[in-house]
Structures are given as structure tokens and as C-alpha cells.
Amino acid sequence: MMPVSEMPHVVVVGAGFGGVSASSELAKEGFRVTLIDRHPYNTFQPLLYQVATGGLNAGDVTYSLRYFAARHQGVRFRRAAVTGIDHEAKQVLCDDGVKVGYDYLVLATGITTNHFGIPGAAEFTMSMYTRAEALRVRDTIFGSMEIIAGRSDPNSGGFTVVVAGGGATGVEMAGQLAELKQEALPKTYPELNPAQVHVVLVEMAPFLLAPFDDSLRKYALAELIKRGVDVRLNTAISEVHADRVDFKGGESIPVDLVIWAAGVSGNPALREWGIPIGRGGRIEVNSDLRVLGEENIFAIGDISLTVDSPLPQLAQPAIQTGRFAAKQIARLHRGVPTEKFEYHNKGTMATIGRGDAVLQTPFGLKLKGVLAWLGWIGLHIVYILGGRNRLQTLLSLTSRYLLPRRSNAIVGDVMETPKLRAGAVDRR
């Protein structure tokens, strides 16, 4: 193998599941790697809803990218936001004016919230795709609880949360909010009547959890309703206001917080990078994950769209495409033809609450309840980066779910001036 200093330089843009996976594999192959991300940490997104509801600290689900780079020979990390690509000069353009040259480029920029053009959705809702967004949701929830509990009559006003989207993220968030209402709030805020807190889950389809078997969908629906979630199927949002949500049927409900989990899309800025963008704002790639029309540029993970066989936007496809792209770069370096990517579906899962989840594999195995929930915990612990994070997450989840039921909420900072209805919470 050539010395690292003489190997081609690979730039990886984005340090999510795909970018980290690609960087690790490229390091094993001996390449020089520059990993670029606008944050100095990797975020374990599947557990951000636990951060948003006070179950985990933000540090439990984030991992230093400089430490990651230090542990992999030949990998360097640069904190920057990429603003474009100079295809002719083979350079990545960064927001600080620096141009980073590459021999091969891997785009793993991930996705952002898709508001589908619904008026007010971008201005008056919150999402949970970044650490900062999850903390903002957490501080809004607990800041509002502090205000209600501090009133002379805590029963004089309520708190309504609408979760838009009945996929795994929406179901997990709604279930956790219901659990927070039933268990943590009465102990943390004894002045507050839990009946004043309302959790509404809105889904425009006639079912929740579209990728799952119908029996698991019905089970998840029944469990959410049993936990007190107001689930509204076949319901589409027409407009979001600062203090209410309007539905296409003409109904409106007052709200204090809207959490948007209804859809994702690629960053619109990618359209200026001189690469083909397809459905959902995703980068179009060939079967070997090379960007259409490009020889040395790959796109992986959520942002990648294989034209003939689109992949689900989940952690496993991102991890697998990251490793695969790295191996194809190694093949190109050796002068060997690239291969066709084949996705190995390992199943999907969603948690509903304490001791309750649904799990489905491509081999026909369907689990629900405690067994699925234990599998959910185990899998998430395995894929978190860093031994300390795995241990801390395991301890926090054990404290929250397996020890005697008590208040385990991590409150954190409280918003200085949240507004509740008779104003709504100020989310601008």
C-alpha cells in the first residue's frame, strides 16, 4: 500500500451516518481524508426526540468529530459550511473562503425539513433534525410548564402540542410526550393538572408508520390512543399560525407548539452546486453511487437518490452506502471497475413509549411490545459513536425506563420569555 501522504485525497462533506461510515472505511483503505461539517460533532439523530423530552442530555447523542478524526489515521476534520463545488478545478468551496482540493468527493449532506409549501409551517413550527432544534423544543416545553405551574391558578390555561407527521419520528415524539405528561410532569410540576396538556398527532394518510405491516400500524395506533394521544388520521394541515393550526376540512385548533415531522428534503442550496437534483431535492446517482455525469463524485445516505431503485432515508442505508462508496473509490484507484450497490434491509423499528415498540424485518419477523422495545434499545446503543456516549445513554435510558417510576426529566435552560396562548409560545 502507498504511504498515506501519497494516496489520493478524498473530501467527505457531511458527518452524519453516511459521512462517518465513508470516512472510517476510506481510512482503512489508506486514503487521505478531509471530513467537512458545519458542526464540530456527529449527532445521533434517532435519539434527538429523547433530548427534546428531557430523557437524554445533548452530549449523550453527540460525538466530537476532531476526536473521531484523531482515531482514524489519515483523516482530518474541518469545520465549515460548504457553499459549492468548482468542478473544473476539483475544489470544494467553503463559507470561510477556503477552497479544499479533492481527487474524489463524497457528498453526505443529509436532509432538511420539507414544509411542502404550507403557509406558516416554516415560521411557526419546530423540527428535530439537529441538536440545536431538539434543545429548542425541550426548552419550549419545559419553559411553558414553568409558566403554567407559576400561575396563581395553574388550571387557567392549557398547553397543546401538535405533532405533524405519522412516520417513526412523529409516532416516537407523540408517544414520548404522552409519557412525559402522564409520569414526569405530575412529579416535577405538582401544581400542574396533566389534563391541561394535550398531545395531538396529525397524519394525512389513513394509517401511521407507512413502511410497517398493517398489524403493527394498528397496534401503534391503539397504543398511542391508550396513552392519551389525540390521533387524527386522514387529516391534512392547510396553514399554521402562531397560535393555531388550520386543517383542510375547515377545522382549526389552538396550539402552543407544533413539531414538524411530516417530511424531509435535500437542501435547496444543492441546486447551485452543478449536480443533478431529482425528486425530494436529492442528488441523482448511478447504481455505483456516482453522481450522474460525474466520474469522481459520489452521493450517499439520505441525500442520494438511485434513479432506478430509491432507498429509504434511514440510518442503515446511509451506513451501507458510506462503506460502499469508499470501497468503490478504492476500486477506481486500483483501476478496477465499480460495482452495483445492493441494499441489505435489516428491518425497521419505532418506539411508542416505556416497554413498547414495533419491529419488522424483511424475513417476516414482526415484534411488538417489550421484546421489540428491548431490541430498539440494544440497536441504538450499538450504533452510537463513542464508549462514553453508549454507557451514558444506557444509564440514562435505564434510569428513565427501568428504575422505579419517578421524575427523570433533564430540564436544562428555560426560555426567558415564552408566550402561552392568550399568546402562543413564540417560536420565531
Side-chain angles (χ1 to χ4, degrees):
M1 180 180 293
M2 297 173 59
V4 172
S5 60
E6 299 178 16
M7 289 289 285
H9 182 217
V10 185
V11 173
V12 180
V13 180
F17 286 111
V20 165
S21 174
S23 298
S24 298
E25 194 65 36
L26 286 163
K28 294 176 185 177
E29 297 284 351
F31 288 95
R32 293 181 294 127
V33 180
T34 297
L35 177 60
I36 303 177
D37 197 281
R38 61 193 179 97
H39 298 297
Y41 48 81
N42 163 273
T43 302
F44 191 78
Q45 289 185 332
L47 287 179
L48 280 177
Y49 80 95
Q50 288 280 350
V51 175
T53 55
L56 294 174
N57 277 307
D60 298 339
V61 298
T62 54
Y63 185 77
S64 167
L65 290 174
R66 293 201 175 276
Y67 187 61
F68 168 82
R71 293 178 57 240
H72 294 80
Q73 184 179 5
V75 178
R76 295 291 180 267
F77 169 69
R78 177 175 181 77
R79 183 181 183 182
V82 172
T83 58
I85 303 171
D86 185 334
H87 293 262
E88 185 174 345
K90 297 181 71 173
Q91 293 177 332
V92 169
L93 311 180
C94 299
D95 61 347
D96 57 4
V98 173
K99 300 178 180 180
V100 183
Y102 64 84
D103 295 299
Y104 298 95
L105 175 60
V106 179
L107 301 176
T109 54
I111 42 77
T112 187
T113 307
N114 187 350
H115 294 105
F116 302 105
I118 296 175
E123 295 83 1
F124 300 115
T125 71
M126 293 186 186
S127 302
M128 291 189 303
Y129 295 109
T130 69
R131 169 185 176 274
E133 289 174 337
L135 289 174
R136 192 166 167 234
V137 171
R138 184 191 71 182
D139 293 344
T140 298
I141 293 171
F142 288 102
S144 300
M145 294 304 102
E146 289 290 342
I147 290 177
I148 295 174
R151 288 172 174 167
S152 57
D153 180 7
N155 293 319
S156 62
F159 183 75
T160 298
V161 183
V162 168
V163 180
T169 300
V171 166
E172 290 178 340
M173 188 64 193
Q176 197 61 57
L177 285 169
E179 192 167 279
L180 187 71
K181 166 186 172 179
Q182 294 172 348
E183 298 182 15
L185 293 184
K187 299 176 178 64
T188 307
Y189 303 98
E191 312 94 326
L192 191 152
N193 180 359
Q196 299 299 107
V197 178
H198 307 281
V199 181
V200 183
L201 178 61
V202 177
E203 169 56 47
M204 65 183 302
F207 47 74
L208 303 174
L209 299 174
F212 287 78
D213 180 80
D214 190 55
S215 63
L216 297 181
R217 294 174 183 169
K218 292 177 179 177
Y219 175 81
L221 173 63
E223 289 297 299
L224 287 173
I225 292 174
K226 186 167 70 175
R227 284 167 165 77
V229 178
D230 178 3
V231 182
R232 304 191 180 196
L233 303 176
N234 297 302
T235 303
I237 294 175
S238 60
E239 188 169 358
V240 182
H241 304 267
D243 58 355
R244 78 174 192 274
V245 168
D246 298 337
F247 301 110
K248 287 189 176 178
E251 181 189 2
S252 294
I253 62 171
V255 297
D256 298 291
L257 172 63
V258 181
I259 298 173
W260 198 264
V264 294
S265 175
N267 193 316
L270 293 176
R271 299 184 181 277
E272 308 300 322
W273 290 16
I275 49 180
I277 303 298
R279 179 164 48 87
R282 301 166 74 180
I283 302 171
E284 295 182 329
V285 299
N286 292 305
S287 61
D288 64 358
L289 303 185
R290 277 188 287 184
V291 175
L292 293 184
E294 301 288 345
E295 291 296 319
N296 295 346
I297 301 179
F298 291 76
I300 61 174
D302 290 346
I303 198 59
S304 175
L305 177 64
T306 309
V307 178
D308 55 355
S309 56
L311 296 172
Q313 292 169 294
L314 301 170
Q316 268 302 315
I319 293 170
Q320 292 180 33
T321 54
R323 291 173 180 162
F324 180 86
K327 291 183 181 298
Q328 302 320 297
I329 290 173
R331 293 178 71 88
L332 289 172
H333 176 59
R334 295 194 300 266
V336 180
T338 58
E339 302 168 308
K340 179 180 179 179
F341 175 75
E342 294 185 5
Y343 172 52
H344 301 285
N345 185 359
K346 297 184 179 181
T348 186
M349 59 180 63
T351 182
I352 302 166
R354 180 196 296 268
D356 206 0
V358 290
L359 182 153
Q360 177 175 303
T361 73
F363 315 110
L365 177 65
K366 303 180 187 68
L367 295 178
K368 55 189 178 184
V370 175
L371 284 179
W373 180 73
L374 291 174
W376 171 85
I377 288 182
L379 188 64
H380 283 68
I381 295 299
V382 166
Y383 281 104
I384 291 177
L385 287 179
R388 187 205 69 83
N389 282 13
R390 293 190 192 101
L391 178 59
Q392 186 58 50
T393 299
L394 179 60
L395 291 174
S396 295
L397 292 178
T398 298
S399 174
R400 187 170 204 180
Y401 289 125
L402 301 181
L403 295 182
R405 301 192 179 196
R406 53 189 176 83
S407 175
N408 289 314
I410 301 169
V411 178
D413 292 330
V414 173
M415 296 171 59
E416 292 184 3
T417 56
K419 299 176 183 177
L420 290 175
R421 250 183 303 115
V425 174
D426 189 352
R427 296 179 294 278
R428 291 171 292 179

